[in-house]
Amino acid sequence: MFEYTKQILTKVSFDKVLFRKELKKAMQWLKKDERKMLMVWCLTTFGHRYGDIIHEVFKRFGHF
């Protein structure tokens, strides 16, 4: 599921609203250890573009 989530986020990364929506969905599906890996991947891959969204979503789920 982790790899699938990365694919989806990459595909929707052109749109801020879709990115937030899919990231929230992923947080509900993934296991805790996968969430941590996703956080690192998101910050590395999209942090320059969507850092505010990434922090917002992960904070809501208790990872910041």
Side-chain angles (χ1 to χ4, degrees), residues 1-59:
M1 194 50 99
F2 175 67
E3 291 300 320
Y4 177 71
T5 299
K6 288 179 7 180
Q7 289 176 358
I8 295 298
L9 290 173
T10 300
K11 288 180 182 180
V12 301
S13 65
F14 67 92
D15 185 296
K16 190 173 190 173
V17 174
L18 283 175
F19 186 85
R20 177 184 281 122
K21 179 181 175 183
E22 292 299 330
L23 185 55
K24 285 180 182 179
K25 278 200 272 185
M27 295 300 287
Q28 295 172 2
W29 296 339
L30 296 175
K31 297 174 186 173
K32 191 173 184 175
D33 59 327
E34 291 175 320
R35 290 180 187 173
K36 289 181 182 181
M37 290 189 311
L38 182 64
M39 179 177 67
V40 171
W41 179 81
C42 282
L43 288 170
T44 303
T45 309
F46 301 110
H48 65 287
R49 193 173 189 186
Y50 296 133
D52 56 335
I53 292 172
I54 295 166
H55 282 89
E56 168 198 325
V57 172
F58 280 94
K59 187 175 182 179

